[in-house]
Amino acid sequence: MGAAAAASFQDAIRTLNTLQTNASYLEQVKRERGDPRAQLEAMRGFLERSGLQVEDLDRLNIIHVTGTKGKGSACAFTERILRGYGLRTGFYSSPHLVQVRERIRINGQPLSKELFSKYFWLVYRRLWDTKDEAQTNMPAYFRFLTIMAFHVFLQEKVDLAVVEVGIGGAFDCTNIIRTPVVCGVSSLGIDHTSILGDTVEKIAWQKGGIFKPGVPAFTVPQPEQPLEVLRDRARECGCPLYLCPELDAFETGTRVLELGLAGSHQRSNAALALQLSRTWLQRRGYEAGTDVLQDVLPGAELSAQRSVPLAPTFCPSDAMIQGLRDTEWPGRTQVLPHGPVTWYIDGAHTTSSIQACVRWFRQAALNEDKPQDGSEVRVLLFNATGDRDTAALLKLLLPCHFDYAVFCPNFTEVSVAANADQQNFNVTLENALTRCVENQKTWTRLMEEKGGPWLPAPLEVGGLLQPDPLRGALLLVPPAERPLNSTSLVFPCISHALQWITQGRDPHLPLPASKVGAHPHPVATSGAVLLQEAATIRVLVTGSLHLVGGVLKLLDPTLSQ
């Protein structure tokens, strides 16, 4: 990539960031809730100004997927399966972990910097040039990327596009899609309550908004009441809705389907992907290569969950089996062994997904009892953003018995100027640190209620920030007159948190050159000794996909290239 092209790409990222970030988009959606259909009308207007009509999207043969947790994984499984049939795939997802290019993929690969720059400026200039007195606005960050993805997929001539809903469904900007080939709903739960509603039934109503007349839709098993809402939404618009059988139903004889994504909760996502891919192949006239094991016609057999017919079970084709096995989706139930430090990385950020994360982590990391000789140290690295119930999330993590809990914002460095892909103009360092301190207070209270060691209340952000001579990092330090036997620490950025956790023992994350003096914080000092001497350090990173992205960027610099 030449210098001029690289500069153009960086300019594209900086300009994209001026269109606001997800936090601002959420606020915009909240303001428009009084007339949510206006959101879709505005999106159609932006699409037309960019040079496309909604009818053009019909050519993309779209698979449209929503849900609270698992929708990205279900999309990843689906895309990988269909790519195995020799099809040219497009995949639009959010958020990105390291680089924004990850959101728009061709054949499983993030859009190249050259193509990203080409399509960004094509769309941006068309929208900018069509502004007038009546159209003075530009689409916000997510809306712009959605429009750009449609341009990419059409011009790059994909055979199909897997499109993950951003937030909700009914009034999400991806829902300008008129005629997808098939729709999917992954597991439902509570998230984005200020936009979607504060009950799972209200959220189900929003998710069911992607259903279209005559377009088959599939859902994983859901609690009875939200499933009824999905059923009613499907009936209202004439959408045939089916309930996915468990993955066990596809495993005949001694055959067990291997999944590229770890965790038992991925089995329902894989089952959904099998139905979506097979239905897409059938509706588009391709030979799926599957034999039906048990065919259930609409209305012939109702599931135990209230009048939603079960989808047929079938013998997965070789391409499906291989696709499930080869699926990769970074930042979700991902294990990175780095010498004595093993990273367990999962972007769970709802109560149900944290529950699944804990089950996975305990199975993957804690099969054996913790050694009593201190040879294993367990560390939680956590952050949560938005309107999420942090106390509920942290309480679910207590059974993992962490020796230390570390909190930090989603900034990779204290200065975010160099992190254009992860820049968020709507969150200041001070605000982010305030949230981290609140999270630490919550952890302190939960540990006290659990009967753990006495933990002092941490300082507010206005308190003392002391430099760490050992690491060059900054710590939020409790007042000197308080006991300092806390087992939780707050750092101002991901880089400094990782430096303390690893103590130079992760070969992918070397210590800074400066290493002199004693740490002024006793907890950090005593913890550093334990971390230096431990035979094994197990680190769970969770609570935010943005945190996960920052960690992966530092642990695997190739992701930024």
Side-chain angles (χ1 to χ4, degrees):
M1 187 176 187
S8 177
F9 173 72
Q10 289 303 323
D11 287 343
I13 298 300
R14 281 189 285 269
T15 306
L16 173 64
N17 287 339
T18 67
L19 298 178
Q20 307 160 41
T21 54
N22 191 50
S24 181
Y25 173 67
L26 295 181
E27 290 302 317
Q28 185 178 15
V29 171
K30 291 176 193 176
R31 290 194 301 271
E32 294 173 351
R33 266 192 307 176
D35 187 10
R37 286 172 180 78
Q39 300 173 37
L40 294 179
E41 284 303 318
M43 184 65 181
R44 291 187 190 97
F46 289 132
L47 186 74
E48 290 173 4
R49 284 168 52 192
S50 77
L52 293 179
Q53 303 292 321
V54 289
E55 292 80 6
D56 294 325
L57 308 184
D58 297 347
R59 308 201 310 267
L60 290 177
N61 301 316
I62 289 171
I63 298 173
H64 202 192
V65 182
T66 188
T68 304
K69 69 185 183 80
K71 63 182 185 292
S73 299
C75 287
F77 279 127
T78 304
E79 184 278 330
R80 186 63 188 87
I81 287 172
L82 291 172
R83 190 168 13 121
Y85 279 85
L87 296 164
R88 183 170 172 81
T89 62
F91 181 10
Y92 179 59
S93 65
S94 61
H96 62 276
L97 295 180
V98 178
Q99 296 202 61
V100 68
R101 300 183 293 113
E102 301 163 23
R103 296 182 182 227
I104 305 174
R105 295 173 182 259
I106 302 291
N107 281 340
Q109 294 301 309
L111 204 61
S112 69
K113 290 182 178 180
E114 292 87 351
L115 284 179
F116 187 96
S117 181
K118 169 188 171 182
Y119 288 110
F120 174 86
W121 291 116
L122 170 74
V123 175
Y124 187 86
R125 285 167 180 146
R126 285 182 180 176
L127 288 166
W128 186 266
D129 292 344
T130 54
K131 287 171 41 172
D132 56 29
E133 291 183 2
Q135 296 173 323
T136 58
N137 58 335
M138 292 286 284
Y141 189 93
F142 184 77
R143 289 177 177 175
F144 182 92
L145 287 171
T146 304
I147 294 168
M148 179 176 158
F150 291 145
H151 277 270
V152 170
F153 297 153
L154 283 166
Q155 294 202 34
E156 294 298 313
K157 295 181 170 53
V158 299
D159 296 311
L160 69 124
V162 180
V163 176
E164 178 189 359
V165 166
I167 295 172
F171 307 118
D172 183 73
C173 65
T174 65
N175 207 30
I176 58 171
I177 299 165
R178 301 187 320 158
T179 54
V181 176
V182 62
C183 296
V185 183
S186 67
S187 181
L188 298 180
I190 300 293
D191 197 18
H192 297 299
T193 53
S194 60
I195 295 171
L196 304 180
D198 56 3
T199 68
V200 72
E201 290 80 17
K202 292 177 182 177
I203 290 171
W205 188 92
Q206 293 281 351
K207 306 291 185 183
I210 71 167
F211 297 157
K212 301 295 188 299
V215 175
F218 296 86
T219 177
V220 302
Q222 311 282 4
E224 183 174 328
Q225 289 181 319
L227 185 66
E228 288 182 5
V229 174
L230 291 178
R231 177 203 63 193
D232 292 344
R233 289 285 268 165
R235 286 178 176 173
E236 288 169 6
C237 72
C239 160
L241 176 66
Y242 302 96
L243 186 70
C244 294
E246 299 286 355
L247 195 63
D248 299 4
F250 298 89
E251 298 176 323
T252 58
T254 59
R255 182 188 63 199
V256 176
L257 294 173
E258 297 178 30
L259 304 184
L261 306 183
S264 58
H265 59 287
Q266 294 291 359
R267 290 178 63 81
S268 65
N269 298 326
L272 176 58
L274 287 175
Q275 298 290 351
L276 294 175
S277 56
R278 181 174 185 264
T279 301
W280 188 95
L281 289 165
Q282 290 180 329
R283 297 198 77 206
R284 297 307 304 157
Y286 290 86
E287 177 56 52
T290 58
D291 295 322
V292 173
L293 298 173
Q294 182 180 4
D295 198 1
V296 184
L297 298 174
E301 179 180 332
L302 299 181
S303 73
Q305 296 196 57
R306 310 279 304 199
S307 67
V308 176
L310 281 168
T313 54
F314 51 87
C315 185
S317 68
D318 290 342
M320 291 176 177
I321 294 170
Q322 188 71 29
L324 293 178
R325 182 188 302 129
D326 292 345
T327 298
E328 296 178 356
W329 197 226
R332 288 80 170 176
T333 59
Q334 184 176 5
V335 180
L336 293 177
H338 287 185
V341 185
T342 303
W343 301 91
Y344 300 85
I345 300 174
D346 188 65
H349 51 272
T350 68
T351 52
S352 54
S353 60
I354 287 285
Q355 286 174 325
C357 172
V358 168
R359 287 194 299 269
W360 161 72
F361 176 68
R362 297 184 75 181
Q363 182 178 9
L366 311 179
N367 278 334
E368 300 180 6
D369 292 334
K370 182 182 174 185
Q372 297 301 311
D373 59 2
S375 61
E376 176 184 308
V377 177
R378 301 175 190 166
V379 182
L380 169 67
L381 180 57
F382 181 90
N383 191 37
T385 59
D387 55 9
R388 296 178 176 101
D389 185 350
T390 304
L393 303 184
L394 289 173
K395 187 173 184 178
L396 293 170
L397 291 161
L398 289 175
C400 295
H401 303 298
F402 294 106
D403 297 292
Y404 292 94
V406 176
F407 302 90
C408 69
N410 292 336
F411 305 129
T412 52
E413 305 288 348
V414 176
S415 171
V416 298
N419 299 327
D421 279 284
Q422 296 176 319
Q423 204 159 6
N424 187 336
F425 293 150
N426 299 279
V427 179
T428 66
L429 176 60
E430 183 177 359
N431 290 341
L433 281 176
T434 299
R435 181 67 181 265
C436 291
V437 171
E438 290 301 317
N439 292 344
Q440 186 193 31
K441 285 182 178 179
T442 299
W443 182 260
T444 297
R445 176 176 56 79
L446 290 170
M447 290 292 287
E448 288 175 342
E449 292 173 355
K450 182 189 170 202
W454 185 85
L455 302 175
L459 264 187
E460 300 293 341
V461 168
L464 181 64
L465 276 171
Q466 290 191 1
D468 172 1
L470 276 176
R471 309 289 176 250
L474 291 175
L475 278 176
L476 282 169
V477 183
E481 66 270 19
R482 293 288 191 98
L484 293 171
N485 58 337
S486 167
T487 57
S488 62
L489 297 167
V490 177
F491 290 89
C493 67
I494 298 170
S495 175
H496 293 168
L498 297 192
Q499 288 171 24
W500 182 82
I501 292 169
T502 60
Q503 296 294 311
R505 302 184 65 195
D506 184 332
H508 298 260
L509 194 76
L511 275 172
S514 127
K515 186 179 178 182
V516 293
H519 201 295
H521 192 302
V523 177
T525 302
S526 61
V529 172
L530 287 176
L531 290 164
Q532 290 163 11
E533 296 179 350
T536 302
I537 302 170
R538 302 190 189 278
V539 189
L540 175 63
V541 183
T542 194
S544 165
L545 273 169
H546 300 286
L547 172 67
V548 161
V551 169
L552 287 174
K553 177 179 181 179
L554 294 172
L555 294 180
D556 185 1
T558 61
L559 293 174
S560 298
Q561 297 171 5

